Amino acid sequence: MTHDARRYCALPSPFAMKRGGALREARVAYETWGELNSARDNAVLILTGLSPSAHAASNAEDPSDGWWEAMIGPGKAIDSSRWFVICVNSLGSDKGSTCARSINPATGEPYRLDFPELSLEDVANAAHVAVTSLGIDQLACLIGCSMGGMSALAYMVLHPGSVRAHISVDTAPQAQPFAIAIRSLQREAIRLDPHWNNGRYADDDYPVDGMSIARKLGVITYRSAMEWNGRFARIRLDPEQRDDNPFGLEFEVESYLEGHAQRFVHTFDPNSYLYLSRASDWFDMAEYGNGNVMEGLKRISVEKAMVIGVSTDILFPLEQQEQIADGLRAAGAAVEFVALNSPQGHDAFLVDIPNYSRAIGGFLGGL
């Protein structure tokens, strides 16, 4: 028996996209935890990284663990006995929201590469529609993780006054060349797989190799070299675990990446991956500050903010978190900056739960 707690919000039709074009009959998926109070002022919105669904934690309709299970629930850091928690699946993601895999009502066929160019501003605007559809004028807090942190910055700059407090988790005000380069290689791996077929693949003729390499590249950058050394060193696989191919898997770290990739490959739509990856490259707060990131950030008005970063994050380096903190402070927010030394790198927010719980729970407890 499959459990599904997703709810759906229809977007205005047409829904205009930042870079041109529009979607018709589009929607986003979301899930909720806790109850909205009578004043409608206890809502907390979570915007996700590139691949997660709206199922951030278990709930009555879907008891399976969510991607941030240890953080959300009664008595947890994001306390659903106090807060009405909403997690929206990004527009362009294949976890229930309209994406490249969805049917284009104009043709009756999947959009594939006819899906309009996607920006994180579109992701933010779609999430804002979902929030207002619930009768919420202002969020008590907006939490953005990784790509979702960039979407959150877009949300706040495009919808002034819609957010009282903000928690920025392992993100950036713009992509740096290293992050763009990695995502470029991930997209190239997918596009060079002959089964990708210019976006016209089928489930039984699927770009497995391209998606596998893209995921491995991602996993390498989501963790730190320190963690790789500590976990795997130079340990080799037992002879019976190796494959017979020349240059095949020999080290434990290779086997770990292979396992990660195999679990991921069929769980995310390749075209959705391409669209959201490119949207992450394009996002730039400098667009809102006449070419200056700090000036763009100064256009965001919130009362309080917490910016969390990790010293071992190579994808969204700590100095980018400091930039967000400085910008929000310059805009008049009371900002708490938390620099963690978690060895897990960018993925620390999914793994180092004690430190993130302490920070996020403490901040929300003070609201």
Side-chain angles (χ1 to χ4, degrees):
M1 181 180 173
T2 56
H3 297 278
D4 192 347
R6 287 178 297 186
R7 294 154 69 182
Y8 298 94
C9 172
L11 301 177
S13 189
F15 180 80
M17 305 285 271
K18 180 192 176 193
R19 297 177 63 89
L23 293 172
R24 295 180 186 277
E25 301 170 35
R27 67 180 191 177
V28 286
Y30 66 95
E31 290 190 29
T32 67
W33 299 261
E35 300 293 332
L36 186 62
N37 64 16
S38 56
R40 298 180 177 272
D41 64 0
N42 70 327
V44 172
L45 172 65
I46 298 170
L47 296 178
T48 78
L50 188 148
S51 59
S53 69
H55 190 59
S58 54
N59 45 30
E61 296 85 15
D62 183 351
S64 65
D65 282 0
W67 58 267
W68 226 9
E69 183 69 28
M71 292 291 291
I72 302 163
K76 294 182 183 177
I78 305 170
D79 187 350
S80 58
S81 59
R82 178 184 176 195
W83 303 109
F84 177 59
V85 185
I86 310 157
C87 183
V88 175
N89 178 233
S90 301
L91 183 68
S93 165
D94 73 336
K95 301 286 186 281
S97 297
T98 298
C99 65
R101 192 174 158 183
S102 304
I103 299 298
N104 179 351
T107 64
E109 297 284 323
Y111 281 103
R112 305 185 196 275
L113 301 193
D114 290 334
F115 195 76
E117 288 186 340
L118 179 72
S119 73
L120 294 186
E121 284 84 352
D122 303 322
V123 171
N125 285 332
H128 184 256
V129 171
V131 169
T132 53
S133 77
L134 294 168
I136 299 160
D137 295 328
Q138 189 182 53
L139 293 165
C141 189
L142 171 56
I143 303 174
C145 307
S146 187
M147 183 194 86
M150 295 193 283
S151 304
L153 294 174
Y155 189 109
M156 293 181 293
V157 80
L158 294 171
H159 302 283
S162 66
V163 178
R164 281 204 308 283
H166 173 49
I167 300 176
S168 172
V169 182
D170 299 4
T171 190
Q174 60 181 190
Q176 286 192 337
F178 176 77
I180 294 171
I182 291 294
R183 285 193 287 263
S184 171
L185 281 175
Q186 291 174 306
R187 292 192 297 272
E188 189 174 349
I190 294 168
R191 292 186 296 110
L192 289 179
D193 187 319
H195 295 282
W196 181 64
N197 191 24
N198 209 30
R200 303 191 65 82
Y201 47 84
D203 282 344
D204 56 355
D205 190 24
Y206 184 93
V208 170
D209 292 344
M211 284 295 282
S212 175
I213 294 167
R215 182 59 173 176
K216 289 176 184 178
L217 274 168
V219 171
I220 290 167
T221 63
Y222 298 155
R223 300 299 177 100
S224 73
M226 184 199 311
E227 198 205 4
W228 294 119
N229 293 343
R231 282 180 75 173
F232 300 107
R234 288 178 50 78
I235 300 169
R236 283 175 161 81
L237 295 167
D238 294 334
E240 64 271 13
Q241 292 176 290
R242 301 181 192 181
D243 54 40
D244 297 331
N245 299 324
F247 312 110
L249 303 183
E250 183 177 345
F251 291 90
E252 265 197 6
V253 68
E254 295 177 289
S255 177
Y256 172 82
L257 289 174
E258 182 64 25
H260 240 285
Q262 291 311 318
R263 286 193 298 276
F264 179 79
V265 160
H266 278 283
T267 66
F268 202 77
D269 175 58
N271 287 339
S272 295
Y273 196 104
L274 296 173
Y275 273 93
L276 285 163
S277 164
R278 182 53 107 185
S280 300
D281 291 349
W282 279 330
F283 181 72
D284 188 359
M285 278 303 295
E287 284 183 25
Y288 301 96
N290 296 317
N292 183 294
V293 167
M294 283 297 289
E295 292 302 313
L297 288 166
K298 276 167 36 180
R299 290 190 50 192
I300 292 173
S301 176
V302 290
E303 293 167 20
K304 294 176 73 174
M306 171 181 272
V307 181
I308 311 176
V310 183
S311 58
T312 52
D313 191 340
I314 58 174
L315 210 52
F316 296 94
L318 203 54
E319 60 264 25
Q320 291 200 281
Q321 331 288 338
E322 289 169 346
Q323 201 175 18
I324 293 171
D326 290 345
L328 296 178
R329 209 172 271 129
V335 179
E336 202 177 326
F337 180 66
V338 180
L340 297 173
N341 290 317
S342 314
Q344 296 96 346
H346 180 67
D347 259 1
F349 73 96
L350 299 171
V351 184
D352 186 6
I353 296 301
N355 280 316
Y356 281 82
S357 277
R358 199 173 305 119
I360 291 171
F363 180 82
L364 287 173
L367 294 183

